[in-house]
């Protein structure tokens, strides 16, 4: 079993009972470091840090997206290093490669690590920066293990229906339940490295 501390700008009604909560704005370095301090007080230590927070709307507010996605993740990873957290699970997205985009030509499958896409806004670049930043900490020996999950848009099939799963042959959505299973697998993953 795990002892968990959750965090966000505010606690909403759907937050699970029995889980500690700390308010934090990850775009603020002081909030990030305070989050770790409060979590250490509540739990005594941090073995695994899971980061799912982000502005998830490409093309909207570029400044807010940079502040939260790039700077916020940078601050959190710095706090992981300072607090000697050995394992990090980082949720990014398929946009880490600038994908998918109708402008990519020719469009082809499979989309893999060799596929080079287009970076159209700060959201895409922030996801790439976050993975590269995490990889740097692993390669420098500061974090032993980092798993990066590249989720697509997460949907609630019960609410949105099965048609919401696919909006384009090159882009699908991820059911909420599958995202949770992937996150649990990442937490349990034992290998070191990136």
């Amino acid at each position: 079993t795990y002892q968990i501390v959750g965090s966000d700008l505010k606690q909403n009604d759907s937050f699970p009972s029995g889980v500690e909560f700390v308010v934090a704005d990850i775009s603020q370095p002081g909030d990030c470091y305070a989050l770790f301090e409060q979590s250490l007080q509540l739990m005594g230590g941090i073995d695994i840090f899971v980061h799912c927070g982000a502005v998830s709307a490409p093309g909207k507010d570029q400044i807010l997206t940079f502040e939260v996605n790039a700077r916020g993740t940078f601050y959190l990873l710095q706090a992981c290093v300072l607090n000697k957290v050995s394992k990090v699970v980082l949720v990014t997205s398929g946009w880490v490669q600038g994908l998918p985009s109708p402008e990519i030509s020719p469009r082809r499958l499979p989309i893999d690590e060799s596929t080079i896409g287009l970076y159209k806004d700060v959201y895409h670049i922030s996801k790439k920066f976050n993975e590269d930043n995490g990889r740097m900490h692993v390669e420098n020996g500061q974090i032993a293990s980092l798993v990066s999950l590249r989720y697509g848009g997460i949907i609630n099939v019960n609410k949105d229906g099965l048609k919401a799963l696919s909006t384009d042959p090159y882009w699908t959505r991820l059911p909420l339940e599958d995202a949770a299973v992937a996150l649990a697998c990442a937490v349990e993953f034992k290998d070191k490295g990136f």
Side-chain angles (χ1 to χ4, degrees):
T1 65
Y2 292 98
Q3 190 177 4
I4 300 170
V5 173
S7 180
D8 206 336
L9 291 171
K10 62 181 178 182
Q11 187 171 353
N12 64 37
D13 295 336
S14 65
F15 194 79
S17 61
V19 175
E20 298 287 348
F21 186 85
V22 175
V23 173
D25 176 354
I26 66 169
S27 70
Q28 302 301 312
D31 278 17
C32 292
Y33 300 120
L35 168 62
F36 275 75
E37 288 172 17
Q38 291 176 45
S39 297
L40 287 167
Q41 290 172 0
L42 290 165
M43 298 185 298
I46 301 171
D47 299 318
I48 302 170
F49 182 76
V50 177
H51 176 41
C52 305
V55 172
S56 60
K60 302 284 186 204
D61 185 332
Q62 298 289 300
I63 294 171
L64 179 64
T65 299
F66 177 81
E67 294 295 324
V68 173
N69 293 10
R71 287 181 64 180
T73 302
F74 173 82
Y75 298 140
L76 291 170
L77 288 174
Q78 288 297 114
C80 286
V81 170
L82 290 171
N83 290 283
K84 300 187 181 349
V85 176
S86 62
K87 181 168 190 171
V88 173
V89 177
L90 185 64
V91 174
T92 63
S93 83
W95 285 101
V96 115
Q97 293 173 273
L99 298 171
S101 178
E103 294 85 9
I104 297 169
S105 182
R107 294 188 83 184
R108 66 174 179 80
L109 292 173
I111 295 172
D112 58 22
E113 292 298 312
S114 67
T115 306
I116 299 172
L118 300 175
Y119 294 96
K120 295 168 49 174
D121 70 32
V122 170
Y123 178 83
H124 312 143
I125 294 295
S126 73
K127 297 302 181 177
K128 175 77 171 133
F129 171 78
N130 292 342
E131 280 197 3
D132 288 347
N133 188 24
R135 181 182 289 113
M136 174 193 71
H137 288 301
V138 170
E139 289 173 355
N140 289 343
Q142 298 165 314
I143 295 173
S145 175
L146 190 141
V147 176
S148 184
L149 298 173
R150 294 178 178 176
Y151 289 163
I154 298 173
I155 63 154
N156 182 336
V157 174
N158 295 326
K159 180 180 158 200
D160 301 322
L162 287 174
K163 286 190 175 190
L165 284 174
S166 181
T167 57
D168 178 289
Y170 294 89
W171 185 249
T172 60
R173 304 288 182 217
L174 181 66
L176 180 61
E177 295 81 3
D178 292 349
V181 168
L183 196 58
C185 289
V187 165
E188 294 296 325
F189 190 68
K190 302 293 184 210
D191 287 0
K192 303 284 187 212
F194 180 84

